[in-house]
Coordinates of all heavy atoms in Angstrom, one line a residue:
M1 N 5.6 5.4 -34.6 CA 4.8 5.0 -35.7 C 3.3 4.8 -35.2 O 2.4 5.2 -35.9 CB 5.3 3.8 -36.4 CG 4.3 3.3 -37.4 SD 4.8 2.0 -38.5 CE 6.5 2.0 -38.6
E2 N 3.2 4.2 -34.1 CA 1.8 3.9 -33.6 C 1.0 5.2 -33.4 O -0.1 5.3 -33.8 CB 1.9 3.2 -32.3 CG 0.5 2.8 -31.7 CD 0.6 2.0 -30.5 OE1 1.7 1.5 -30.1 OE2 -0.4 1.8 -29.8
I3 N 1.7 6.2 -32.9 CA 1.0 7.5 -32.7 C 0.6 8.1 -34.0 O -0.5 8.6 -34.1 CB 1.9 8.5 -31.8 CG1 2.1 7.9 -30.4 CG2 1.4 9.9 -31.8 CD1 3.2 8.6 -29.6
L4 N 1.5 8.1 -35.0 CA 1.1 8.7 -36.3 C -0.1 7.9 -36.9 O -1.0 8.5 -37.4 CB 2.3 8.6 -37.2 CG 3.5 9.5 -36.9 CD1 4.7 9.2 -37.9 CD2 3.1 10.9 -37.0
A5 N 0.0 6.6 -36.9 CA -1.1 5.8 -37.4 C -2.4 6.0 -36.7 O -3.5 6.2 -37.3 CB -0.7 4.3 -37.4
K6 N -2.3 6.1 -35.4 CA -3.5 6.3 -34.6 C -4.1 7.7 -34.8 O -5.3 7.9 -35.0 CB -3.2 6.2 -33.1 CG -4.4 6.1 -32.2 CD -3.9 5.9 -30.8 CE -5.0 5.4 -29.9 NZ -4.6 4.9 -28.6
N7 N -3.3 8.7 -34.9 CA -3.8 10.1 -35.2 C -4.4 10.1 -36.6 O -5.4 10.7 -36.8 CB -2.6 11.1 -35.1 CG -2.2 11.4 -33.7 OD1 -2.9 11.1 -32.8 ND2 -1.0 11.9 -33.6
Y8 N -3.8 9.5 -37.6 CA -4.3 9.5 -39.0 C -5.7 8.8 -39.0 O -6.6 9.3 -39.6 CB -3.4 8.9 -40.0 CG -3.9 9.1 -41.4 CD1 -3.6 10.3 -42.1 CD2 -4.7 8.2 -42.0 CE1 -4.0 10.5 -43.4 CE2 -5.2 8.4 -43.2 CZ -4.9 9.6 -43.9 OH -5.4 9.8 -45.2
L9 N -5.8 7.7 -38.3 CA -7.0 7.0 -38.3 C -8.1 7.8 -37.7 O -9.2 7.9 -38.2 CB -6.8 5.7 -37.4 CG -8.1 4.8 -37.2 CD1 -8.6 4.3 -38.5 CD2 -7.8 3.7 -36.3
H10 N -7.9 8.5 -36.5 CA -8.9 9.2 -35.9 C -9.3 10.5 -36.7 O -10.4 10.9 -36.7 CB -8.5 9.6 -34.4 CG -8.5 8.4 -33.5 ND1 -9.7 7.7 -33.2 CD2 -7.5 7.7 -33.0 CE1 -9.4 6.7 -32.4 NE2 -8.1 6.6 -32.3
E11 N -8.3 11.1 -37.3 CA -8.6 12.3 -38.1 C -9.3 12.0 -39.4 O -9.9 12.9 -40.0 CB -7.3 13.1 -38.4 CG -6.6 13.7 -37.1 CD -5.2 14.2 -37.4 OE1 -4.7 14.2 -38.5 OE2 -4.6 14.6 -36.4
N12 N -9.1 10.8 -39.9 CA -9.7 10.5 -41.3 C -10.6 9.3 -41.3 O -10.7 8.6 -42.3 CB -8.5 10.3 -42.2 CG -7.6 11.5 -42.3 OD1 -8.0 12.4 -43.0 ND2 -6.5 11.4 -41.7
I13 N -11.2 9.0 -40.1 CA -12.0 7.8 -40.0 C -13.1 7.7 -41.1 O -13.4 6.7 -41.7 CB -12.6 7.7 -38.6 CG1 -13.2 6.3 -38.3 CG2 -13.7 8.7 -38.3 CD1 -12.1 5.3 -37.9
S14 N -13.8 8.8 -41.4 CA -14.9 8.8 -42.4 C -14.3 8.6 -43.8 O -14.9 7.9 -44.6 CB -15.7 10.0 -42.3 OG -15.0 11.2 -42.5
E15 N -13.2 9.2 -44.1 CA -12.5 9.1 -45.4 C -12.1 7.6 -45.7 O -12.0 7.2 -46.8 CB -11.4 10.1 -45.6 CG -11.9 11.5 -45.8 CD -12.0 12.2 -44.4 OE1 -11.8 11.5 -43.4 OE2 -12.3 13.4 -44.4
L16 N -11.7 7.0 -44.6 CA -11.1 5.6 -44.7 C -12.3 4.6 -45.0 O -12.0 3.5 -45.5 CB -10.3 5.2 -43.5 CG -9.0 5.9 -43.4 CD1 -8.4 5.7 -42.0 CD2 -8.0 5.4 -44.4
G17 N -13.5 5.0 -44.6 CA -14.7 4.1 -44.9 C -14.9 3.0 -43.9 O -15.6 2.0 -44.3
L18 N -14.5 3.2 -42.7 CA -14.8 2.2 -41.7 C -16.3 2.2 -41.4 O -16.9 3.2 -41.0 CB -14.0 2.5 -40.4 CG -14.1 1.5 -39.3 CD1 -13.6 0.1 -39.8 CD2 -13.3 1.9 -38.1
K19 N -17.0 1.0 -41.7 CA -18.4 1.0 -41.5 C -18.9 1.1 -40.1 O -19.9 1.6 -39.8 CB -18.9 -0.4 -42.1 CG -18.8 -0.5 -43.6 CD -19.3 -1.8 -44.1 CE -19.1 -2.0 -45.6 NZ -19.4 -3.3 -46.0
F20 N -18.2 0.5 -39.2 CA -18.6 0.5 -37.7 C -17.5 1.1 -36.9 O -16.6 0.4 -36.5 CB -18.9 -0.9 -37.3 CG -19.9 -1.6 -38.1 CD1 -19.6 -2.6 -39.0 CD2 -21.2 -1.2 -38.1 CE1 -20.5 -3.3 -39.8 CE2 -22.2 -1.8 -38.9 CZ -21.8 -2.8 -39.7
P21 N -17.5 2.5 -36.7 CA -16.4 3.1 -36.1 C -16.4 3.1 -34.5 O -16.2 4.0 -33.8 CB -16.5 4.6 -36.6 CG -18.0 4.7 -36.8 CD -18.4 3.4 -37.3
C22 N -16.7 1.9 -34.0 CA -16.7 1.7 -32.6 C -15.2 1.5 -32.1 O -14.4 1.3 -33.0 CB -17.5 0.5 -32.1 SG -16.9 -1.1 -32.7
E23 N -15.0 1.6 -30.9 CA -13.6 1.5 -30.4 C -12.9 0.2 -30.7 O -11.8 0.1 -31.1 CB -13.5 1.8 -28.9 CG -13.6 3.2 -28.5 CD -12.6 4.2 -29.2 OE1 -11.4 3.9 -29.2 OE2 -13.1 5.1 -29.8
K24 N -13.7 -0.9 -30.6 CA -13.2 -2.2 -31.0 C -12.8 -2.3 -32.4 O -11.7 -2.8 -32.7 CB -14.3 -3.3 -30.7 CG -14.0 -4.7 -31.1 CD -13.1 -5.4 -30.2 CE -13.0 -6.8 -30.5 NZ -11.8 -7.2 -31.3
C25 N -13.6 -1.8 -33.3 CA -13.2 -1.9 -34.7 C -12.0 -1.0 -35.0 O -11.1 -1.3 -35.8 CB -14.4 -1.5 -35.6 SG -15.6 -2.8 -35.7
K26 N -12.0 0.2 -34.4 CA -10.9 1.1 -34.6 C -9.6 0.5 -34.1 O -8.5 0.6 -34.7 CB -11.1 2.5 -33.9 CG -12.1 3.3 -34.7 CD -12.1 4.7 -34.2 CE -13.1 4.9 -33.0 NZ -13.3 6.3 -32.6
N27 N -9.6 -0.1 -32.9 CA -8.5 -0.8 -32.4 C -8.0 -2.0 -33.3 O -6.9 -2.3 -33.5 CB -8.7 -1.3 -31.0 CG -8.7 -0.2 -30.0 OD1 -8.2 0.9 -30.2 ND2 -9.4 -0.3 -28.9
D28 N -9.0 -2.7 -33.8 CA -8.7 -3.8 -34.8 C -8.0 -3.3 -36.0 O -7.0 -3.9 -36.5 CB -10.0 -4.6 -35.2 CG -10.5 -5.5 -34.1 OD1 -9.8 -5.7 -33.1 OD2 -11.7 -5.9 -34.2
V29 N -8.5 -2.2 -36.6 CA -7.8 -1.6 -37.7 C -6.4 -1.2 -37.4 O -5.5 -1.4 -38.2 CB -8.7 -0.4 -38.2 CG1 -7.9 0.5 -39.2 CG2 -10.0 -0.8 -38.8
L30 N -6.2 -0.5 -36.3 CA -4.9 0.0 -35.9 C -3.9 -1.2 -35.7 O -2.8 -1.2 -36.2 CB -5.0 0.8 -34.6 CG -3.8 1.6 -34.2 CD1 -3.3 2.5 -35.3 CD2 -4.0 2.3 -32.9
A31 N -4.4 -2.2 -35.0 CA -3.5 -3.4 -34.8 C -3.2 -4.1 -36.1 O -2.0 -4.4 -36.3 CB -4.2 -4.4 -33.8
F32 N -4.1 -4.3 -37.0 CA -3.9 -4.9 -38.3 C -2.9 -4.1 -39.1 O -1.9 -4.6 -39.6 CB -5.2 -5.1 -39.0 CG -5.1 -5.9 -40.2 CD1 -5.3 -7.3 -40.1 CD2 -4.8 -5.4 -41.5 CE1 -5.2 -8.1 -41.3 CE2 -4.7 -6.2 -42.6 CZ -4.9 -7.5 -42.5
A33 N -3.1 -2.8 -39.1 CA -2.2 -1.9 -39.9 C -0.8 -1.9 -39.3 O 0.2 -2.0 -40.0 CB -2.7 -0.5 -39.9
L34 N -0.7 -1.8 -38.0 CA 0.7 -1.7 -37.4 C 1.5 -3.0 -37.5 O 2.7 -3.0 -37.7 CB 0.6 -1.4 -35.9 CG 0.1 0.1 -35.6 CD1 -0.2 0.2 -34.1 CD2 1.2 1.0 -36.1
N35 N 0.7 -4.1 -37.6 CA 1.4 -5.4 -37.8 C 2.0 -5.6 -39.2 O 2.8 -6.5 -39.5 CB 0.5 -6.6 -37.5 CG 0.4 -6.8 -36.0 OD1 1.4 -6.8 -35.3 ND2 -0.8 -7.1 -35.5
R36 N 1.5 -4.7 -40.1 CA 2.0 -4.8 -41.5 C 3.0 -3.6 -41.8 O 3.5 -3.6 -42.9 CB 0.9 -4.8 -42.4 CG 0.3 -6.1 -42.5 CD -1.2 -6.2 -42.6 NE -1.6 -7.6 -42.6 CZ -1.9 -8.3 -41.4 NH1 -1.6 -7.7 -40.3 NH2 -2.3 -9.5 -41.5
L37 N 3.3 -2.8 -40.9 CA 4.3 -1.7 -41.0 C 5.6 -2.1 -40.4 O 5.6 -2.7 -39.3 CB 3.7 -0.4 -40.4 CG 2.6 0.2 -41.2 CD1 1.9 1.3 -40.3 CD2 3.0 0.8 -42.5
E38 N 6.7 -1.6 -41.0 CA 8.0 -2.0 -40.4 C 8.2 -1.1 -39.2 O 8.1 0.1 -39.2 CB 9.0 -1.6 -41.5 CG 10.4 -2.0 -41.1 CD 11.5 -1.6 -42.2 OE1 11.1 -1.5 -43.3 OE2 12.6 -1.5 -41.8
P39 N 8.5 -1.8 -38.1 CA 8.8 -1.0 -36.8 C 10.1 -0.3 -36.9 O 11.0 -0.6 -37.7 CB 8.9 -2.1 -35.8 CG 9.2 -3.4 -36.5 CD 8.7 -3.2 -37.9
K40 N 10.2 0.8 -36.2 CA 11.4 1.6 -36.1 C 11.9 1.8 -34.7 O 11.3 2.6 -33.9 CB 11.2 3.0 -36.7 CG 10.6 3.0 -38.1 CD 11.7 2.7 -39.1 CE 11.1 2.8 -40.5 NZ 11.9 2.1 -41.5
Y41 N 12.8 1.0 -34.3 CA 13.4 1.0 -32.9 C 14.7 1.7 -32.9 O 15.5 1.5 -33.8 CB 13.5 -0.4 -32.3 CG 12.2 -1.1 -32.3 CD1 12.0 -2.2 -33.1 CD2 11.3 -0.8 -31.4 CE1 10.8 -2.9 -33.1 CE2 10.1 -1.5 -31.3 CZ 9.8 -2.5 -32.1 OH 8.7 -3.2 -32.1
V42 N 15.0 2.5 -31.9 CA 16.3 3.2 -31.8 C 16.7 3.1 -30.3 O 16.0 2.9 -29.4 CB 16.2 4.7 -32.2 CG1 15.8 4.8 -33.7 CG2 15.2 5.5 -31.4
S43 N 18.1 3.3 -30.2 CA 18.6 3.3 -28.8 C 19.4 4.5 -28.4 O 19.9 4.6 -27.3 CB 19.5 2.0 -28.7 OG 20.6 2.2 -29.6
N44 N 19.4 5.5 -29.3 CA 20.1 6.7 -28.9 C 19.5 8.0 -29.6 O 18.6 7.8 -30.5 CB 21.6 6.6 -29.3 CG 21.9 6.4 -30.8 OD1 21.2 6.9 -31.6 ND2 22.8 5.5 -31.1
V45 N 19.9 9.1 -29.2 CA 19.4 10.4 -29.8 C 19.6 10.5 -31.2 O 18.7 11.0 -32.0 CB 20.0 11.6 -29.0 CG1 19.5 12.9 -29.6 CG2 19.7 11.5 -27.5
R46 N 20.8 10.1 -31.7 CA 21.0 10.2 -33.2 C 20.1 9.4 -34.0 O 19.5 9.8 -35.0 CB 22.5 9.9 -33.5 CG 22.9 10.2 -34.9 CD 24.4 10.1 -35.1 NE 24.6 8.7 -35.3 CZ 25.8 8.1 -35.5 NH1 26.9 8.9 -35.5 NH2 25.9 6.9 -35.7
G47 N 19.8 8.2 -33.5 CA 18.9 7.2 -34.2 C 17.5 7.8 -34.1 O 16.7 7.7 -35.1
H48 N 17.1 8.4 -33.0 CA 15.8 9.0 -32.9 C 15.6 10.1 -33.9 O 14.5 10.2 -34.5 CB 15.6 9.5 -31.5 CG 14.3 10.1 -31.2 ND1 13.1 9.4 -31.1 CD2 13.9 11.4 -31.0 CE1 12.1 10.2 -30.9 NE2 12.6 11.5 -30.9
A49 N 16.6 10.9 -34.1 CA 16.5 12.0 -35.0 C 16.4 11.5 -36.4 O 15.6 12.0 -37.2 CB 17.8 12.9 -34.9
F50 N 17.1 10.4 -36.7 CA 17.0 9.8 -38.1 C 15.6 9.3 -38.4 O 15.0 9.5 -39.4 CB 18.1 8.7 -38.2 CG 18.0 8.0 -39.5 CD1 18.5 8.6 -40.7 CD2 17.5 6.7 -39.6 CE1 18.4 7.9 -41.9 CE2 17.4 6.1 -40.8 CZ 17.9 6.7 -42.0
V51 N 15.1 8.5 -37.4 CA 13.8 8.0 -37.6 C 12.7 9.0 -37.7 O 11.8 9.0 -38.5 CB 13.5 7.0 -36.4 CG1 12.0 6.5 -36.5 CG2 14.4 5.7 -36.6
K52 N 12.8 10.1 -36.9 CA 11.9 11.2 -36.9 C 11.9 11.8 -38.3 O 10.9 12.2 -38.8 CB 12.2 12.1 -35.8 CG 11.1 13.2 -35.5 CD 11.3 13.9 -34.3 CE 10.2 14.9 -34.1 NZ 10.4 15.7 -32.9
A53 N 13.1 12.0 -38.8 CA 13.2 12.6 -40.2 C 12.6 11.7 -41.2 O 11.9 12.2 -42.1 CB 14.6 12.9 -40.5
Q54 N 12.8 10.4 -41.1 CA 12.2 9.4 -42.0 C 10.7 9.5 -42.0 O 10.0 9.3 -43.0 CB 12.6 8.0 -41.6 CG 13.6 7.4 -42.5 CD 13.8 5.9 -42.2 OE1 13.6 5.5 -41.1 NE2 14.2 5.1 -43.2
M55 N 10.1 9.7 -40.8 CA 8.7 9.7 -40.6 C 8.0 10.9 -41.2 O 6.8 10.9 -41.4 CB 8.3 9.7 -39.1 CG 8.6 8.3 -38.5 SD 8.1 8.4 -36.7 CE 8.3 6.7 -36.2
M56 N 8.8 11.9 -41.6 CA 8.2 13.1 -42.2 C 8.2 13.0 -43.8 O 7.6 13.8 -44.4 CB 9.1 14.3 -41.8 CG 9.1 14.7 -40.4 SD 7.4 15.1 -39.9 CE 7.3 14.3 -38.3
T57 N 8.7 11.9 -44.3 CA 8.7 11.8 -45.8 C 7.3 11.4 -46.3 O 6.5 10.8 -45.5 CB 9.7 10.7 -46.2 OG1 9.3 9.4 -45.7 CG2 11.1 11.0 -45.7
D58 N 7.1 11.8 -47.5 CA 5.8 11.4 -48.1 C 5.6 9.9 -48.2 O 4.5 9.4 -48.1 CB 5.7 12.0 -49.5 CG 5.5 13.6 -49.4 OD1 5.0 14.0 -48.4 OD2 5.7 14.2 -50.4
Q59 N 6.7 9.2 -48.5 CA 6.6 7.7 -48.6 C 6.2 7.1 -47.3 O 5.3 6.2 -47.3 CB 7.9 7.1 -49.1 CG 7.9 5.6 -49.3 CD 6.9 5.2 -50.4 OE1 7.0 5.7 -51.5 NE2 6.0 4.3 -50.0
Y60 N 6.7 7.5 -46.2 CA 6.4 7.0 -44.9 C 4.9 7.2 -44.6 O 4.2 6.3 -44.2 CB 7.3 7.6 -43.8 CG 7.3 6.8 -42.6 CD1 8.1 5.7 -42.4 CD2 6.5 7.2 -41.5 CE1 8.1 5.0 -41.3 CE2 6.5 6.4 -40.3 CZ 7.3 5.4 -40.2 OH 7.3 4.6 -39.1
K61 N 4.4 8.4 -44.9 CA 3.0 8.7 -44.7 C 2.1 7.9 -45.6 O 1.1 7.4 -45.2 CB 2.8 10.2 -44.9 CG 3.4 11.1 -43.9 CD 3.2 12.6 -44.3 CE 4.1 13.5 -43.3 NZ 4.1 14.8 -43.7
T62 N 2.6 7.7 -46.8 CA 1.8 6.8 -47.8 C 1.7 5.4 -47.3 O 0.7 4.8 -47.4 CB 2.5 6.9 -49.2 OG1 2.5 8.3 -49.6 CG2 1.7 6.0 -50.2
D63 N 2.8 4.9 -46.7 CA 2.8 3.5 -46.2 C 1.8 3.4 -45.1 O 1.1 2.4 -45.0 CB 4.2 3.2 -45.7 CG 5.3 3.0 -46.8 OD1 4.9 2.9 -48.0 OD2 6.5 3.0 -46.5
I64 N 1.7 4.4 -44.2 CA 0.7 4.3 -43.1 C -0.7 4.4 -43.7 O -1.5 3.6 -43.3 CB 1.0 5.5 -42.1 CG1 2.3 5.3 -41.4 CG2 -0.2 5.6 -41.2 CD1 2.7 6.4 -40.5
I65 N -0.9 5.3 -44.6 CA -2.3 5.4 -45.2 C -2.7 4.1 -45.9 O -3.8 3.6 -45.8 CB -2.3 6.5 -46.2 CG1 -2.2 7.8 -45.5 CG2 -3.6 6.5 -47.0 CD1 -1.9 9.1 -46.4
C66 N -1.7 3.5 -46.7 CA -2.0 2.2 -47.3 C -2.3 1.1 -46.3 O -3.3 0.3 -46.5 CB -0.8 1.8 -48.2 SG -0.7 2.7 -49.7
A67 N -1.5 1.0 -45.3 CA -1.8 0.0 -44.3 C -3.1 0.2 -43.6 O -3.8 -0.8 -43.4 CB -0.6 0.0 -43.2
L68 N -3.5 1.4 -43.3 CA -4.8 1.7 -42.7 C -5.9 1.3 -43.6 O -7.0 0.8 -43.2 CB -4.8 3.1 -42.2 CG -4.0 3.4 -40.9 CD1 -4.0 4.9 -40.7 CD2 -4.6 2.7 -39.7
T69 N -5.8 1.7 -44.9 CA -6.8 1.5 -45.9 C -7.1 0.0 -46.0 O -8.2 -0.5 -46.0 CB -6.4 2.1 -47.2 OG1 -6.3 3.5 -47.0 CG2 -7.5 1.9 -48.3
N70 N -6.0 -0.8 -46.1 CA -6.1 -2.3 -46.2 C -6.7 -2.8 -45.0 O -7.6 -3.7 -45.0 CB -4.8 -2.9 -46.5 CG -4.3 -2.6 -47.9 OD1 -5.0 -2.3 -48.8 ND2 -3.0 -2.6 -48.0
A71 N -6.3 -2.3 -43.8 CA -6.9 -2.8 -42.5 C -8.4 -2.5 -42.4 O -9.2 -3.4 -42.0 CB -6.1 -2.1 -41.4
V72 N -8.8 -1.4 -42.9 CA -10.3 -1.0 -42.9 C -11.0 -2.0 -43.7 O -12.1 -2.5 -43.3 CB -10.5 0.4 -43.3 CG1 -12.0 0.7 -43.7 CG2 -10.0 1.4 -42.3
Q73 N -10.5 -2.4 -44.9 CA -11.2 -3.3 -45.8 C -11.3 -4.7 -45.0 O -12.4 -5.3 -45.1 CB -10.4 -3.5 -47.0 CG -10.5 -2.3 -48.0 CD -9.7 -2.4 -49.2 OE1 -8.9 -3.3 -49.3 NE2 -9.8 -1.5 -50.1
V74 N -10.3 -5.1 -44.4 CA -10.3 -6.4 -43.7 C -11.4 -6.3 -42.5 O -12.2 -7.2 -42.4 CB -9.0 -6.8 -43.1 CG1 -9.0 -8.0 -42.2 CG2 -8.0 -7.1 -44.3
V75 N -11.3 -5.3 -41.7 CA -12.3 -5.2 -40.6 C -13.7 -5.0 -41.1 O -14.6 -5.6 -40.5 CB -11.8 -4.0 -39.7 CG1 -12.9 -3.7 -38.6 CG2 -10.5 -4.4 -39.0
N76 N -13.9 -4.2 -42.2 CA -15.3 -4.1 -42.7 C -15.8 -5.4 -43.2 O -17.0 -5.7 -43.0 CB -15.3 -3.1 -43.9 CG -15.3 -1.7 -43.5 OD1 -15.6 -1.3 -42.3 ND2 -15.0 -0.8 -44.4
N77 N -15.0 -6.3 -43.7 CA -15.4 -7.6 -44.2 C -15.5 -8.6 -43.1 O -16.2 -9.7 -43.3 CB -14.5 -8.1 -45.3 CG -14.6 -7.3 -46.6 OD1 -15.6 -6.7 -46.9 ND2 -13.5 -7.2 -47.3
N78 N -14.9 -8.3 -41.9 CA -14.9 -9.3 -40.8 C -15.1 -8.6 -39.5 O -14.2 -8.7 -38.6 CB -13.5 -10.1 -40.8 CG -13.3 -10.8 -42.1 OD1 -13.9 -11.8 -42.4 ND2 -12.4 -10.2 -42.9
P79 N -16.2 -7.9 -39.3 CA -16.3 -7.1 -38.1 C -16.5 -8.0 -36.9 O -17.0 -9.1 -37.0 CB -17.6 -6.3 -38.3 CG -18.4 -7.1 -39.3 CD -17.3 -7.8 -40.2
D80 N -16.0 -7.6 -35.7 CA -16.0 -8.4 -34.5 C -16.4 -7.4 -33.4 O -15.6 -7.2 -32.5 CB -14.7 -9.1 -34.3 CG -14.7 -10.0 -33.1 OD1 -15.8 -10.5 -32.7 OD2 -13.7 -10.1 -32.4
C81 N -17.6 -6.9 -33.5 CA -17.9 -5.8 -32.5 C -19.4 -6.0 -32.1 O -20.1 -6.8 -32.7 CB -17.7 -4.4 -33.1 SG -18.7 -4.0 -34.5
S82 N -19.9 -5.1 -31.3 CA -21.3 -5.1 -30.8 C -22.3 -4.9 -31.9 O -23.4 -5.3 -31.8 CB -21.5 -4.1 -29.7 OG -21.2 -2.8 -30.2
F83 N -21.9 -4.2 -33.0 CA -22.7 -4.0 -34.1 C -23.1 -5.3 -34.8 O -24.1 -5.4 -35.6 CB -22.1 -3.0 -35.2 CG -22.1 -1.6 -34.7 CD1 -20.9 -1.0 -34.2 CD2 -23.2 -0.8 -34.6 CE1 -20.9 0.3 -33.8 CE2 -23.2 0.5 -34.2 CZ -22.0 1.0 -33.7
C84 N -22.3 -6.3 -34.7 CA -22.5 -7.6 -35.4 C -23.8 -8.2 -34.9 O -24.3 -9.2 -35.5 CB -21.4 -8.5 -35.1 SG -19.9 -8.0 -36.0
E85 N -24.4 -7.8 -33.8 CA -25.6 -8.3 -33.3 C -26.8 -7.8 -34.1 O -27.9 -8.4 -34.0 CB -25.8 -8.0 -31.8 CG -24.7 -8.5 -30.9 CD -24.8 -7.9 -29.5 OE1 -25.8 -7.3 -29.2 OE2 -23.8 -8.2 -28.7
Y86 N -26.6 -6.8 -34.9 CA -27.7 -6.1 -35.6 C -27.7 -6.5 -37.0 O -26.7 -6.9 -37.6 CB -27.7 -4.6 -35.4 CG -27.6 -4.3 -33.9 CD1 -26.4 -3.8 -33.3 CD2 -28.7 -4.4 -33.1 CE1 -26.4 -3.5 -32.0 CE2 -28.7 -4.1 -31.8 CZ -27.5 -3.6 -31.2 OH -27.5 -3.3 -29.9
E87 N -28.8 -6.3 -37.7 CA -29.0 -6.7 -39.1 C -28.1 -5.9 -40.0 O -27.7 -6.4 -41.1 CB -30.5 -6.5 -39.5 CG -31.4 -7.5 -39.0 CD -32.8 -7.4 -39.5 OE1 -33.0 -6.6 -40.4 OE2 -33.7 -8.1 -38.9
E88 N -27.7 -4.6 -39.7 CA -26.9 -3.8 -40.6 C -25.5 -4.3 -40.7 O -24.7 -3.8 -41.5 CB -27.0 -2.3 -40.3 CG -26.4 -2.0 -38.9 CD -27.4 -1.9 -37.8 OE1 -28.5 -2.5 -37.9 OE2 -27.0 -1.4 -36.7
C89 N -25.1 -5.3 -39.9 CA -23.8 -5.8 -40.0 C -23.6 -6.6 -41.2 O -24.4 -7.5 -41.6 CB -23.5 -6.7 -38.7 SG -21.9 -7.5 -38.8
P90 N -22.5 -6.4 -42.0 CA -22.3 -7.2 -43.2 C -22.2 -8.7 -43.0 O -22.6 -9.5 -43.8 CB -21.0 -6.6 -43.7 CG -20.6 -5.5 -42.9 CD -21.5 -5.5 -41.7
K91 N -21.8 -9.1 -41.8 CA -21.7 -10.5 -41.5 C -23.0 -11.2 -41.4 O -23.3 -12.2 -42.0 CB -21.0 -10.7 -40.2 CG -19.8 -11.6 -40.2 CD -19.2 -11.7 -38.8 CE -17.8 -12.2 -38.9 NZ -17.2 -12.4 -37.6
S92 N -24.0 -10.5 -40.8 CA -25.3 -11.1 -40.6 C -26.1 -11.1 -41.8 O -27.0 -11.9 -42.0 CB -26.0 -10.4 -39.4 OG -26.2 -9.1 -39.7
S93 N -25.9 -10.1 -42.8 CA -26.6 -10.1 -44.0 C -26.2 -11.1 -45.0 O -26.9 -11.4 -45.9 CB -26.6 -8.7 -44.6 OG -25.3 -8.4 -45.0
S94 N -25.0 -11.6 -44.8 CA -24.5 -12.6 -45.8 C -24.9 -14.0 -45.4 O -24.6 -15.0 -46.1 CB -23.0 -12.5 -46.0 OG -22.3 -12.8 -44.7
S95 N -25.4 -14.2 -44.2 CA -25.8 -15.5 -43.7 C -27.0 -16.1 -44.3 O -27.9 -15.4 -44.6 CB -25.9 -15.5 -42.2 OG -24.8 -15.0 -41.6

C-alpha cells in the first residue's frame, strides 16, 4: 500500500494541491495518509495474491486518493518545512 500511495502522490502532486512540495511536506502527507489507511499484511502466497487483487479495485484506489487529499489539506494548513521561514508560508501570514 505504501508504494501505491507514494506513486500516486508523486504522479499527482500538482492535482492534489500541495502548496509546498518539498520532500519534508511530501513525507508528512504520505505518513499522515498511510496512518489512516487500513494495513494489509499477509504471510503466504495465497494471501499476497488476494491482497494484490484487492488493491486493483476502484474502491481501494479511491481510499488512497481520499487519504492523500485529506493529508494534503492538513499539511497545507500546518506546514513544518523550510518554506515556513518565508512570508509565503500560510503559517507566517496568519500570525
